[in-house]
């Protein structure tokens, strides 16, 4: 079993380079199924979720060449199979993008129900509502989803909840639908814009991504060749921003888009940290104990739920009592029990947690319950007095590339032990 051993107490200093966005990559890769040809995707993060989805695409008949650890050339000219391997698809959440892509490409797909982080109930009713509105038949049976469509016809779809996954999935399914599809109350996250940009680069006609109304005018086919660069990871950049604040460090985060980080920047300034926009990089530093704050997670451009655990670590050592209201996921405070083992004083009930700020944390053996919880516990280990052993780090490897190497480059004392 791999673990991270962290000796805390170092103020982070120096430069870190952000990888391509996980949540964009895991949607763009299935989107290549809509191209009957070859395309090159670069700035892919070197993470396990990307490797799994590439393996699934190979099983469906795609040919993939890794040009280097961040770039693939993928040939989806011939798709030989419409059943995605159930054991692979049920390992991660974004396997649901195979449904939208394959409905568009082949009019048929069977996949396992998506897995991913355990954050409470993760329904896909809005995805199904969208596919059915476009004319598909969707059956759920014994942990599998079977979706079929003779023909997809554009229509208006109103999302009952703002859903990143459903917005992207309906976009994918409607690229070739006859006529115009309108998604109302769409999610606006940067990776939604990135998937739309990728599809438009390849010849799709998608307008309004990044606003709450997206219109997709169906096209007959996409280009048979092209290349695309994945957007930088907003959440990875935000994780390093909060690590700098928590450790009273001073770092420059390169290869990021500062506007995507506005909500995190605003909170950092509110709690007494400093942020300087340097164009395609951002400097973050903090000289004092953070102030208390109230945080509510919301769809973009609100404070991201995927930054909530990292912010929880900062507030656990803030001066005063803070409150976090988690409005997206019902079970995203599991990390607070681990933080309490490190000396934090957090009471979590339902979707609210109260953080009575303590002056210091202490190293302890702790367990990552999911991807972002794992990243948060690394930050806690960096702040704590003494040694922290962090287990279940395979969750972290799903979404962060070389995380310990990036922290080491900032001066952290962190080792991976196999
Ligand atoms: C994506 C992200 C995840 C992030 C989340 C919210 C990926 C691969 N994962 O997950 O990291 O935490 O956005 O920013 O991009 N909902 C429904 N019915 C649906 C779909 C969603 O009720 O059909 C609800 C969910 O229970 C949740 C909310 O809508 O309360 C948002 O979920 P959604 O945006 O769909 O999250 P994911 O796409 O799964």
């Amino acid at each position: 079993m791999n673990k991270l051993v962290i000796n805390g107490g170092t103020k982070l200093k120096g430069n870190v380079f952000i990888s391509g966005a996980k949540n964009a990559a895991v949607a763009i890769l299935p989107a290549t199924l809509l191209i009957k040809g070859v395309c090159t995707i670069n700035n892919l993060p070197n993470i396990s979720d990307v490797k799994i989805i590439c393996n699934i695409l190979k099983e469906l008949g795609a040919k993939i060449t890794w040009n280097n650890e961040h770039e693939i050339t993928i040939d989806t000219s011939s798709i030989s199979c419409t059943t995605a391997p159930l054991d692979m698809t049920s390992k991660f959440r974004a396997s649901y993008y195979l449904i939208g892509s394959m409905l568009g490409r082949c009019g048929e797909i069977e996949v396992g129900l998506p897995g991913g982080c355990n954050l409470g109930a993760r329904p896909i009713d809005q995805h199904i509502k969208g596919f059915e509105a476009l004319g598909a038949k969707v059956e759920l049976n014994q942990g599998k989803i079977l979706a079929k469509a003779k023909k997809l016809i554009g229509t208006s779809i109103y999302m009952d909840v703002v859903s990143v996954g459903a917005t992207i999935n309906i976009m994918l399914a409607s690229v070739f639908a006859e006529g115009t599809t309108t998604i109302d109350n769409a999610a606006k996250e940067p990776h939604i814009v990135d998937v739309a940009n990728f599809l438009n680069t390849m010849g799709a006609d998608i307008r309004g991504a990044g606003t709450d109304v997206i219109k997709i005018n169906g096209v007959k086919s996409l280009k048979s060749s092209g290349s695309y660069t994945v957007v930088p990871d907003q959440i990875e950049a935000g994780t390093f921003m909060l690590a700098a604040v928590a450790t009273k460090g001073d770092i420059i985060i390169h290869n990021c888009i500062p506007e995507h980080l506005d909500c995190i920047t605003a909170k950092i300034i509110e709690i007494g940290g400093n942020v300087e926009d340097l164009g395609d990089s951002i400097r973050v530093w903090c000289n004092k104990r953070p102030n208390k704050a109230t945080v509510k997670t919301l769809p973009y451009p609100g404070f991201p739920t995927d930054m909530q655990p990292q912010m929880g670590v900062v507030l656990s050592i803030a001066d005063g009592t803070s409150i976090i209201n988690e409005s997206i996921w019902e079970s995203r405070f599991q990390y607070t029990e681990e933080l309490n083992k490190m000396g934090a004083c957090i009471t979590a009930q339902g979707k609210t947690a109260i953080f009575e700020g303590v002056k210091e944390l202490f190293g302890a053996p702790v367990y990552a319950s999911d991807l972002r919880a794992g990243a948060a516990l690394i930050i806690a280990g960096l702040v704590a007095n003494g040694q922290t052993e962090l287990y279940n780090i395979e969750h972290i490897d799903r979404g962060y590339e070389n995380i310990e190497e990036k922290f080491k480059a900032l001066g952290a004392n962190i080792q991976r032990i196999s």
Side-chain angles (χ1 to χ4, degrees):
M1 191 202 295
N2 287 344
K3 65 178 176 183
L4 288 173
V5 177
I6 308 160
N7 287 293
T10 311
K11 296 181 178 186
L12 297 183
K13 291 225 176 314
N15 297 282
V16 63
F17 294 82
I18 297 305
S19 301
K22 162 190 170 283
N23 287 346
V26 297
I28 288 171
L29 289 168
T32 61
L33 290 166
L34 293 166
I35 303 163
K36 285 188 186 155
V38 181
C39 81
T40 299
I41 313 288
N42 56 60
N43 203 32
L44 282 170
N46 186 6
I47 55 176
S48 61
D49 268 12
V50 162
K51 287 176 192 145
I52 294 174
I53 202 140
C54 285
N55 287 337
I56 296 173
L57 293 173
K58 277 191 200 162
E59 295 282 327
L60 295 175
K63 294 187 185 71
I64 295 180
T65 311
W66 284 90
N67 304 325
N68 58 53
E69 63 176 3
H70 296 124
E71 183 181 293
I72 61 165
T73 298
I74 179 161
D75 180 352
T76 52
S77 314
S78 66
I79 293 301
S80 48
C81 172
T82 58
T83 302
L86 299 187
D87 55 330
M88 289 187 190
T89 49
S90 53
K91 269 191 194 146
F92 78 123
R93 185 75 190 154
S95 54
Y96 51 39
Y97 294 134
L98 294 165
I99 310 173
S101 304
M102 285 293 278
L103 275 176
R105 171 72 188 257
C106 300
E108 184 172 341
I109 179 70
E110 185 177 298
V111 290
L113 274 170
C117 289
N118 176 12
L119 311 173
R122 299 191 75 169
I124 55 164
D125 55 299
Q126 298 302 303
H127 303 236
I128 294 172
K129 170 179 156 169
F131 299 142
E132 289 180 341
L134 290 164
K137 279 209 161 60
V138 184
E139 280 170 32
L140 271 70
N141 191 7
Q142 296 183 334
K144 290 181 284 189
I145 304 170
L146 178 62
K148 274 189 182 179
K150 284 208 174 86
K151 188 174 183 181
L152 294 165
I153 299 179
T155 185
S156 287
I157 300 161
Y158 184 87
M159 312 295 299
D160 301 321
V161 292
V162 179
S163 160
V164 171
T167 301
I168 292 178
N169 232 342
I170 296 167
M171 233 160 60
L172 293 169
S174 49
V175 163
F176 299 139
E178 190 179 293
T180 300
T181 302
T182 305
I183 309 174
D184 264 304
N185 200 22
K188 298 180 272 203
E189 271 67 3
H191 41 288
I192 290 170
V193 180
D194 206 41
V195 178
N197 285 345
F198 165 69
L199 291 166
N200 285 342
T201 303
M202 298 308 299
D205 184 356
I206 302 174
R207 300 169 192 207
T211 74
D212 44 24
V213 182
I214 301 179
K215 283 191 191 299
I216 304 110
N217 296 312
V219 294
K220 293 253 181 294
S221 62
L222 296 183
K223 290 180 196 162
S224 58
S225 68
S227 70
Y228 193 74
T229 302
V230 176
V231 73
D233 198 306
Q234 174 209 19
I235 303 300
E236 188 195 12
T239 300
F240 281 101
M241 289 171 84
L242 290 182
V245 172
T247 62
K248 300 201 187 96
D250 186 349
I251 69 172
I252 298 184
I253 299 164
H254 296 269
N255 186 29
C256 63
I257 300 178
E259 304 86 78
H260 292 169
L261 301 163
D262 281 349
C263 47
I264 302 158
T265 297
K267 271 294 158 201
I268 290 179
I269 291 168
E270 186 183 323
I271 60 177
N274 306 283
V275 180
E276 189 181 357
D277 179 343
L278 302 170
D280 62 358
S281 57
I282 196 163
R283 178 181 167 213
V284 183
W285 72 105
C286 186
N287 306 318
K288 60 187 280 286
R289 186 176 177 196
N291 306 325
K292 64 181 180 168
T294 298
V295 176
K296 179 170 179 149
T297 62
L298 286 169
Y300 188 81
F303 192 89
T305 172
D306 287 355
M307 288 300 305
Q308 187 262 100
Q310 302 89 315
M311 182 51 105
V313 173
V314 174
L315 297 182
S316 75
I317 49 165
D319 188 4
T321 301
S322 303
I323 298 176
I324 296 186
N325 179 245
E326 169 57 57
S327 78
I328 310 288
W329 300 117
E330 63 190 21
S331 181
R332 201 161 206 179
F333 285 123
Q334 295 167 60
Y335 73 94
T336 60
E337 284 176 30
E338 303 304 294
L339 269 187
N340 283 346
K341 289 182 196 164
M342 300 176 73
C345 185
I346 308 164
T347 311
Q349 199 169 34
K351 289 186 160 189
T352 304
I354 297 170
F355 295 71
E356 287 172 52
V358 295
K359 286 209 168 116
E360 50 190 354
L361 298 176
F362 300 94
V366 285
Y367 293 80
S369 53
D370 63 71
L371 168 60
R372 308 301 170 186
L377 290 170
I378 292 181
I379 301 177
L382 294 173
V383 172
N385 275 327
Q387 192 171 82
T388 295
E389 289 184 2
L390 174 54
Y391 295 91
N392 292 352
I393 59 173
E394 63 282 358
H395 289 301
I396 304 173
D397 296 334
R398 284 189 36 231
Y400 288 90
E401 174 175 337
N402 281 337
I403 193 159
E404 72 272 20
E405 296 306 323
K406 291 190 185 188
F407 274 118
K408 266 188 207 165
L410 295 169
N413 185 338
I414 177 170
Q415 306 286 343
R416 179 181 292 250
I417 312 263
S418 295

